[in-house]
């Protein structure tokens, strides 16, 4: 059932003011703090998959059960104890003088040779070039700040020495309180993150301070250069330098110099303490033995700043204020009173996903798939995943967060234009695997993907719809139009069929198909038409004439490929459902009517048959975290809310949500933020619907087991 606001007068007034559309009257007032509070995270053991993070969207700091980063090796193969920032990148010296052109592979496409930046395994020089540009630049683990706990016998503490753990993350305030005992003595650590700066503050209470057996240890790792970097490479001491460049009674500054990066860590503390070097890249902050309580804070920054940094109390107040503002902004959902046994767990996943995407994905650049915790793909963002990372912010009434990363496309536009130019296309071809400055990384799959191309149109369309402000059109029109120009030029006219084709020379979102033989993938065809038509709407809104080329392509795209009454993954794969390999990875055919609205190309009855076939025969054990929300979105549009819930709660490993809320995939990807963002996107659609929807809560069963209260959600297109 749906809770309605009982005050008709208020509703009529809001509708008159344009605040509520005819179907947004389903909003209801929610005790947001109560909803958030019931999902406070509690950790009772040293669990390598239960580390907790603090942050602000551009910086994150992940702690173990001690409340700091005391045991990085123990957590290295779980959810690592990372410290990462948007600005923290490094490049190894290019001793081989490699040039990106050496990683080009030329594909026969549309009767000409088109270069793509791919991974090459031969000759040796080309392989080395590919590896260098995949590895560089790489995102840095900035530093490890943990406790140094000394046993009575003088030995360093091990994880097994930490007893009676009671750690709690207060999601409403962004505060972690960690209590444990060490050789019978209690330690309490309270940790908070500043919401505007790359700063962490902690307060420690323990008799161990008086005994001189508790200190704060700072260590600087060296980047591994591997696909992943978990922040515990304390070898390679001669390849970087750390220096204590400033200290007085209550502050200290450490400089860290790497291959191409240099940055600073500023410390501030209360009471007497000393900051001294212990080894080449390790420092100890030792509180005076006269103290029973010790507070300190530390700031990571690109430039040396001698100004006093906020202390613990100031940072705590900042965290409380910032998190309250976040939770009280935008949308909220409440399943209290639901009798479906899955409701409580689904609500937990939602609240924790809001928290995690706020600290990991809310910065001024698209995040990597593992956020600001540890590296995957060398720390580089994947722009096709930006849809899942960021779109939900607009649907949850927080468009200002999406705006920050959408604006990043201005920064990298020139490099996207260069890719299109080198390949002989118009406009801009958006990168897939990229870095903070928009450089394209060699990837045999990534370079051939195209479904990231219309994403910026999706983002800016939602930003415009928020207030229908013409200033948004003026701001983003060049991005939208250049995006559409590439799309129109990439589509190839087949005179025999008198249709525009996509491919060969691409890999669809379901990455199971060879680039040189794949053409007309179903989802991409629909996204191409939607993107071109939406870009055309922007021209009309701006009073500009229609773009004839866009119309020509959109109106004459190849039809969505059908065989035996269902949509194929691609026209080139007539064995889409008989070849077992093609029933693994993303079932992206469902995104055709889930992520996207109905296009002129779509037949809903055919999509319903396709959904049933995929649901019953897909190898769900070989999928990814965002596949379940995508499936739920398709089920919702098809009027199957029971299936939508079943999809979100499917008992599959890659649909696992850990105690800290992270979407677990496998031993390699222990966290996967596209799953968290995808869940939030699906929930918004299941509550508020989409353009033309007239069903209350279209994604929730009407069987009396779901009591859904929500407010502030926005419709999807």
């Amino acid at each position: 059932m749906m809770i309605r606001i009982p005050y008709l007068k208020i509703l009529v007034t809001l509708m008159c003011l344009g605040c509520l559309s005819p179907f947004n009257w389903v909003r209801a007032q929610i005790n947001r703090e109560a909803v958030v509070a019931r999902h406070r995270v509690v950790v009772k053991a040293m669990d390598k998959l239960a580390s907790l993070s603090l942050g602000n969207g551009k910086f994150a700091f992940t702690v173990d059960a001690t409340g700091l980063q005391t045991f990085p090796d123990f957590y290295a193969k779980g959810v690592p104890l990372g410290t990462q920032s948007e600005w923290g990148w490094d490049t190894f010296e290019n001793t081989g003088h490699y040039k990106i052109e050496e990683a080009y592979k030329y594909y026969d496409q549309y009767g000409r040779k088109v270069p793509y930046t791919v991974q090459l395994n031969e000759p040796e020089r080309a392989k080395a070039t590919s590896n260098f540009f995949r590895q560089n630049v790489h995102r840095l683990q900035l530093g490890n700040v943990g406790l140094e706990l000394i046993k009575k016998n003088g030995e360093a503490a091990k994880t097994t020495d930490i007893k009676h753990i009671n750690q709690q993350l207060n999601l409403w305030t962004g505060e972690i309180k960690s209590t444990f005992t060490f050789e019978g003595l209690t330690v309490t650590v309270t940790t908070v993150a500043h919401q505007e700066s790359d700063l962490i503050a902690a307060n420690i209470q323990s008799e161990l301070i008086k005994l001189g057996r508790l200190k704060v240890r700072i260590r600087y790792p060296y980047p591994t250069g591997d696909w992943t970097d978990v922040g515990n490479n304390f070898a390679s001491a001669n390849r970087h330098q750390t220096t204590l460049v400033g200290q007085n009674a209550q502050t200290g500054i450490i400089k860290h110099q790497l291959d191409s990066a240099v940055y600073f860590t500023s410390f501030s503390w209360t009471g007497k303490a000393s900051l001294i070097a212990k080894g080449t890249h390790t420092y100890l902050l030792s509180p005076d033995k006269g103290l029973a309580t010790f507070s300190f804070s530390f700031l990571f920054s690109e430039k040396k700043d001698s100004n006093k940094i906020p202390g613990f109390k100031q940072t705590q107040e900042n965290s409380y204020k910032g998190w309250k503002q976040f939770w009280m902004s935008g949308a909220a959902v409440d399943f209290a009173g639901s009798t479906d046994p899955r409701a409580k767990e689904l609500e937990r996943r939602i609240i924790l996903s809001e928290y995690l995407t706020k600290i990991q994905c809310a910065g001024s650049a698209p995040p990597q798939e593992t956020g600001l915790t540890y590296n995957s793909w060398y720390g580089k963002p994947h722009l096709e995943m930006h849809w899942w990372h960021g779109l939900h912010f607009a649907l949850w009434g927080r468009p200002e967060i999406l705006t920050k990363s959408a604006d990043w496309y201005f920064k990298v536009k020139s490099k996207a234009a260069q890719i299109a130019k080198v390949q002989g296309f118009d406009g801009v071809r958006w990168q897939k695997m990229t870095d903070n400055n928009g450089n394209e990384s060699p990837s045999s799959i990534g370079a051939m993907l195209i479904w990231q191309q219309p994403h910026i149109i999706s983002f800016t369309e939602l930003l415009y719809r928020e207030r229908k402000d013409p200033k948004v059109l003026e701001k983003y029109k060049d991005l939208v139009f250049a995006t559409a120009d590439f799309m129109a030029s990439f589509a190839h006219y087949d005179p025999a069929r008198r249709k525009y084709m996509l491919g060969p020379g691409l890999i669809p979102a379901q990455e199971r198909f060879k680039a040189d033989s794949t053409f007309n993938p179903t989802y991409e065809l629909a996204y191409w038409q939607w993107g071109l038509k939406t870009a055309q709407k922007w021209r009309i809104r701006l009073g500009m004439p229609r773009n004839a080329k866009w119309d020509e392509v959109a109106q004459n795209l190849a039809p969505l490929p059908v065989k035996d009454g269902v949509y194929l993954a691609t026209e080139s794969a007539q064995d889409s459902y008989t070849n077992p390999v093609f029933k693994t990875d993303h079932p992206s055919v469902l995104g055709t009517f889930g992520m996207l609205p109905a296009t002129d190309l779509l037949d809903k009855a055919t999509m319903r048959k396709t959904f049933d076939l995929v649901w019953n025969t897909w190898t769900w054990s070989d999928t990814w975290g965002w596949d379940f929300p995508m499936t739920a979105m398709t089920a919702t549009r098809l009027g199957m809310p029971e299936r939508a819930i079943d999809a979100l709660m499917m008992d599959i490993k890659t649909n696992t949500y850990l105690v800290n809320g992270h979407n677990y995939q496998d031993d390699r990807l222990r966290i996967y933020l596209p799953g968290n963002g995808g869940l939030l996107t699906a929930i918004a659609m299941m509550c508020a619907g989409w353009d033309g929807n007239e069903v209350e809560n279209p994604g929730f069963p009407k069987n009396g087991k779901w009591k859904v209260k929500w407010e502030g959600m926005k419709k999807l297109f």
Side-chain angles (χ1 to χ4, degrees), residues 390-441:
L391 191 91
H392 65 90
F393 288 121
L395 300 182
W396 280 71
R398 297 175 180 127
E400 70 283 356
I401 298 180
L402 176 59
T403 297
K404 290 189 290 184
S405 57
D407 287 356
W408 178 84
Y409 287 76
F410 289 113
K411 176 180 177 180
V412 303
K413 181 187 176 187
S414 62
K415 293 184 178 179
Q418 182 64 20
I419 295 171
K421 182 179 179 180
V422 167
Q423 294 179 345
F425 299 114
D426 298 334
V428 295
R429 180 171 192 160
W430 297 114
Q431 305 84 331
K432 190 278 190 193
M433 180 178 169
T434 184
D435 60 31
N436 55 324
N437 290 316
N439 297 301
E440 187 176 42
S441 298

Side-chain angles (χ1 to χ4, degrees), residues 82-130:
T83 307
Q84 295 194 327
S85 174
E86 283 189 334
W87 52 260
W89 296 81
D90 180 53
T91 301
F92 297 143
E93 184 180 357
N94 186 355
T95 56
H97 305 288
Y98 304 115
K99 296 180 180 180
I100 192 64
E101 293 81 4
E102 297 178 76
Y104 284 173
K105 178 179 179 180
Y106 288 83
Y107 286 80
D108 290 321
Q109 189 173 13
Y110 311 149
R112 58 189 179 84
K113 298 288 187 181
V114 179
Y116 287 86
T117 309
V118 303
Q119 290 171 266
L120 298 171
N121 292 318
E122 58 181 6
E124 193 60 34
R125 171 77 183 183
K127 179 179 180 180
T129 299
S130 298

Side-chain angles (χ1 to χ4, degrees), residues 186-206:
T186 299
V187 181
T188 300
V189 179
T190 305
T191 320
V192 289
H194 200 280
Q195 293 306 291
E196 286 82 45
S197 301
D198 296 358
L199 184 146
I200 297 293
N203 176 265
I204 305 171
Q205 295 176 298
S206 179

Side-chain angles (χ1 to χ4, degrees), residues 441-456:
S441 298
S443 172
S444 296
I445 292 177
M448 311 305 297
L449 292 184
I450 63 170
W451 68 287
Q452 74 274 18
Q453 183 67 21
H455 284 354
I456 188 63

Side-chain angles (χ1 to χ4, degrees), residues 318-335:
N318 174 274
S319 178
Y320 285 10
K321 179 181 178 181
W323 277 104
K324 183 176 181 180
Q325 288 175 342
F326 172 78
W327 290 116
M328 293 302 293
S329 73
V333 67
D334 181 356
F335 296 154

Side-chain angles (χ1 to χ4, degrees), residues 556-631:
N556 294 284
L557 276 170
L560 303 185
V562 177
K563 181 179 180 182
D564 298 330
V566 297
Y567 288 121
L568 300 172
T570 86
E571 185 177 339
S572 50
Q574 294 292 307
D575 55 348
S576 290
Y577 303 106
T578 56
N579 185 336
V581 174
F582 295 161
K583 294 193 291 184
T584 63
D585 197 59
H586 312 296
S588 56
V589 65
L590 300 183
T592 308
F593 189 55
M595 298 170 69
L596 295 174
T599 63
D600 296 341
L601 301 173
L602 183 85
D603 176 73
K604 293 181 182 178
T606 303
M607 179 53 71
R608 173 59 189 262
K609 293 178 181 178
T610 306
F611 180 93
D612 290 341
L613 179 63
V614 170
W615 182 268
N616 291 321
T617 67
W618 205 258
T619 307
W620 291 104
S621 58
D622 193 348
T623 51
W624 296 70
W626 57 266
D627 295 330
F628 306 98
M630 179 182 66
T631 303

